[in-house]
Amino acid sequence: MALSEFDLIRRYFSSFQQGSAVVTGIGDDCAELSLSPGHTLCTSIDTMVEGVHFPKTPDVSGLGWRVLAAAVSDLGACGARPVGFCLALTLPQADETWLAAFSKGLAEASRFFAIPLVGGDTTRGPLCLSVQVFGEVPAGKALLRSGARPGDDIWVTGTLGDARAALDCLENTAFSEAEQVFMAQYYRAEPPLEFSAGLLGVASAAIDLSDGLAADLGHVLQASGASAELEVDALPLSAALQATYSREVAEAYALTGGDDYQLCFTASAARRETIYALAAEHNIRCSRVGAVASGAGLNLVREGAPIDLTHYNNMGYLHFQ
Ligand code: ADP
Ligand code: MG
């Protein structure tokens, strides 16, 4: 690389906003982070490979935002508050235009989610972005997948299916108004971290939506040993999605499309008012889409009548078979 590894790090990654938990940040052998008393560390790592998890893209800033948003989404799923993140960057060459755009989007997300960049690794090879996030949660209070109980409500935040719709226009050079909504959801997702942290002690289980509601809720049900009834008419669909697709395709995208980075959680019906108040406080759209039951499996219904999930799967929109 023409630009030395150290110059590259100094120029593009060393001036990110730091936080009070960062004792030592970029530049030493390890980052040193302090946790609040009585808290435990939550950590998760996400890797995105060009051509596999994202296309060769003109929106390089968007990519910087997206790789961090996808990783912090996992912290939100546990109700953890951000502490810091590391970036492992594999680059085919030190392209300064690319680096400037990427680090700009990454820095914007770092500020937005209040999570400082505290270290990383820089290597040469096919473009690959890996982000490891660190967060903290009061000991014993983390939201897990395994806590859903029969009778609990099932909730989702935001709208679903828009990021899947972005896959239909990702390669476009001009975008309609609706397509701009989809692209913003794809590149600039805003997982609801503060709202999620507010769900500690309120929600019984949670998961972030990365592979589509049907698959991700399925993980919660499996971990909890429960079944669920999901009301497809209650799925939160954006106006853009409804204006662009038939009802059936919009539902299929919401159920089986990935990359929404919204939150799905369960909670006792007694917590409804608390949840609506929390959603209003954080300006988060929050929709009740079904209920947990005993047994196993995910059952879709429309006005009480069962619908077969294989119907949507057979439409060919499954994110991951
Ligand atoms: P070491 O050889 O001790 O692993 P490096 O020379 O790889 O350290 O990195 C020097 C410092 O720069 C370390 O603090 C490391 O965390 C940080 N760093 C390296 N690459 C990145 C990156 N892409 N983003 C942020 N920090 C980085
Ligand atoms: Mg070292």
Side-chain angles (χ1 to χ4, degrees):
M1 291 186 189
L3 190 66
S4 83
E5 180 188 332
F6 300 106
D7 288 340
L8 184 159
I9 296 164
R10 187 160 31 80
R11 196 168 302 172
Y12 296 103
F13 299 106
S14 63
S15 57
F16 278 53
Q17 194 168 307
Q18 297 297 290
S20 57
V22 183
V23 181
T24 305
I26 291 172
D28 219 300
D29 293 307
C30 286
E32 187 182 359
L33 307 171
S34 65
L35 300 183
S36 308
H39 285 60
T40 47
L41 180 72
C42 295
T43 186
S44 171
I45 187 162
D46 264 302
T47 297
M48 293 187 178
V49 178
E50 185 178 65
V52 179
H53 303 97
F54 60 91
K56 243 187 192 335
T57 182
D59 188 357
V60 177
S61 285
L63 204 54
W65 180 290
R66 181 166 185 257
V67 68
L68 183 54
V72 297
S73 178
D74 285 313
L75 290 181
C78 295
R81 290 189 184 281
V83 169
F85 76 100
C86 288
L87 169 71
L89 197 54
T90 304
L91 299 170
Q93 71 269 321
D95 174 344
E96 295 213 43
T97 308
W98 191 95
L99 278 162
F102 176 78
S103 64
K104 178 169 175 283
L106 188 72
E108 285 164 359
S110 165
R111 264 193 310 277
F112 183 84
F113 296 115
I115 185 164
L117 176 59
V118 299
D121 195 24
T122 308
T123 51
R124 188 170 188 152
L127 183 59
C128 176
L129 314 168
S130 195
V131 165
Q132 182 164 27
V133 287
F134 305 96
E136 64 175 23
V137 73
K141 294 285 195 293
L143 301 176
L144 302 178
R145 297 178 178 186
S146 52
R149 294 293 169 260
D152 284 356
D153 293 326
I154 300 169
W155 300 82
V156 295
T157 62
T159 58
L160 305 182
D162 300 306
R164 173 60 187 83
L167 299 186
D168 294 339
C169 59
L170 224 42
E171 316 270 311
N172 291 9
T173 48
F175 300 94
S176 70
E177 234 170 83
E179 287 168 343
Q180 287 173 34
V181 171
F182 306 148
M183 294 299 281
Q185 288 297 323
Y186 184 85
Y187 280 117
R188 302 267 166 179
E190 296 180 5
L193 293 196
E194 289 181 11
F195 171 78
S196 302
L199 287 174
L200 293 182
V202 176
S204 52
I207 191 167
D208 66 315
L209 296 175
S210 53
D211 293 335
L213 178 60
D216 292 322
L217 177 56
H219 296 318
V220 169
L221 298 175
Q222 192 151 33
S224 299
S227 74
E229 194 156 283
L230 196 65
E231 179 57 63
V232 293
D233 282 329
L235 292 171
L237 307 175
S238 70
L241 194 73
Q242 296 187 68
T244 308
Y245 297 94
S246 69
R247 177 83 208 177
E248 194 177 40
V249 173
E251 285 171 1
Y253 279 16
L255 287 166
T256 67
D259 299 331
D260 287 318
Y261 300 117
Q262 292 294 336
L263 189 74
C264 172
F265 63 98
T266 60
S268 152
R271 309 314 293 266
R272 281 180 198 168
E273 289 313 313
T274 308
I275 289 163
Y276 282 125
L278 194 66
E281 180 191 336
H282 293 283
N283 200 19
I284 295 294
R285 178 169 172 176
C286 202
S287 311
R288 195 153 51 82
V289 294
V292 180
S294 57
L298 175 62
N299 304 301
L300 304 182
V301 298
R302 191 189 311 280
E303 290 168 4
I307 303 180
D308 199 352
L309 179 64
T310 56
H311 167 68
Y312 293 108
N313 288 347
N314 291 343
M315 290 169 72
Y317 300 121
L318 256 195
H319 177 66
F320 201 67
Q321 299 267 15

